[in-house]
């Protein structure tokens, strides 16, 4: 399914995602995945669960000192037993799926914001995650690019069977693609 997290700027949407993907522990409470406690479990359990995630932050959040193909290959090198040639083949395929064939050896600074976003998508999906977390995936895109993001998100859900958790201020988009949603209220700090 596609699960949307909505709310005003400063309501804590991105902070919630950071708790869900393992970047910051929550001040209180717990995060569960299929009944398994994420934060109170062992480090090994948390790492195992995190291997099921793909994460995309606004603008792609790429490593500036790595080429696009090297960015996509990071997770493949860390979390698979693929040989170096196969890692590059999978990374190249993921970039091609995002329309970046021919840009593999470019650095993030050498491509525009749109291509950086699509490279971020390629990296987030390199390990074929069960859960894809997207924090403002279309924030830097033009309206046409934003609509393509919607299509790609639906493709992840419908064709790949992934769960997508998306944070966005674009409520029109969220209403058109989300199966379920919550709204964080910054005034009362509630959902």
């Amino acid at each position: 399914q596609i699960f949307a997290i909505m709310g005003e700027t400063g309501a804590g949407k991105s902070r919630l995602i950071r708790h869900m993907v393992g970047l910051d522990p929550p001040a209180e409470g717990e995060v569960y995945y299929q009944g398994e406690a994420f934060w109170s479990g062992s480090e090994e359990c948390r790492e195992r669960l995190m291997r099921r995630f793909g994460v995309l932050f606004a603008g792609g959040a790429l490593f500036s000192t790595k080429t696009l193909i090297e960015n996509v290959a990071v997770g493949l090198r860390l979390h698979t037993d693929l040989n170096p040639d196969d890692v590059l083949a999978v990374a190249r395929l993921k970039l091609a799926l995002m329309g970046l064939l021919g840009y593999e050896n470019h650095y993030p600074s050498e491509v525009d914001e749109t291509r950086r976003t699509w490279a971020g998508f390629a990296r987030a999906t390199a390990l074929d995650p069960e859960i894809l977390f997207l924090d403002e995936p279309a924030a830097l895109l033009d309206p046409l690019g934003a609509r393509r993001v919607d299509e790609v998100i639906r493709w992840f859900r419908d064709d790949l069977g992934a769960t997508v958790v998306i944070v966005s201020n674009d409520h029109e988009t969220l209403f058109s693609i989300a199966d379920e949603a919550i709204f964080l209220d910054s005034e009362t700090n509630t959902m």
Side-chain angles (χ1 to χ4, degrees):
Q1 84 179 93
I2 298 171
F3 183 78
I5 302 172
M6 300 182 291
E8 299 171 359
T9 301
K13 302 179 302 290
S14 295
R15 172 69 55 199
L16 179 58
I17 287 278
R18 293 178 64 82
H19 296 319
M20 294 172 77
V21 301
L23 293 176
D24 295 323
E28 58 184 281
E30 180 58 88
V31 176
Y32 290 92
Y33 290 100
Q34 296 179 330
E36 286 191 83
F38 183 72
W39 285 102
S40 62
S42 68
E43 183 68 28
E44 293 80 24
C45 175
R46 192 164 34 259
E47 287 179 15
R48 179 177 45 79
L49 290 169
M50 288 171 65
R51 277 188 226 111
R52 298 168 47 197
F53 305 162
V55 182
L56 171 68
F57 290 103
L62 301 172
F63 297 110
S64 61
T65 59
K66 295 185 181 300
T67 63
L68 299 187
I69 198 166
E70 290 169 338
N71 266 281
V72 176
V74 168
L76 294 164
R77 286 195 173 107
L78 289 173
H79 301 296
T80 71
D81 295 328
L82 295 173
N83 68 51
D85 289 339
D86 289 341
V87 164
L88 291 177
V90 171
R92 190 170 286 108
L93 172 66
K94 296 298 181 172
L95 286 167
L97 288 171
M98 297 301 144
L100 294 174
L101 201 58
Y103 290 92
E104 299 92 342
N105 296 314
H106 287 73
Y107 287 89
S109 62
E110 297 174 330
V111 298
D112 60 25
E113 292 173 340
T114 300
R115 288 185 177 93
R116 283 194 296 272
T117 297
W118 290 117
F121 260 106
R123 185 179 64 189
T125 61
L127 294 169
D128 298 324
E130 293 174 33
I131 306 171
L132 185 60
F133 293 94
L134 307 173
D135 190 0
E136 298 288 354
L140 303 176
L141 301 179
D142 60 32
L144 216 54
R147 295 298 74 84
R148 183 164 175 246
V149 167
D150 295 350
E151 292 170 13
V152 169
I153 290 169
R154 285 188 191 102
W155 177 67
F156 286 130
R157 178 196 60 196
D158 298 341
D159 295 345
L160 302 180
T163 296
V164 180
V165 179
I166 180 172
V167 167
S168 178
N169 283 321
D170 182 354
H171 295 170
E172 180 182 329
T173 290
L174 293 179
F175 287 133
S176 72
I177 66 170
D179 299 306
E180 291 190 44
I182 60 170
F183 186 87
L184 301 181
D185 184 349
S186 61
E187 293 296 316
T188 61
N189 220 4
T190 60
M191 292 186 268

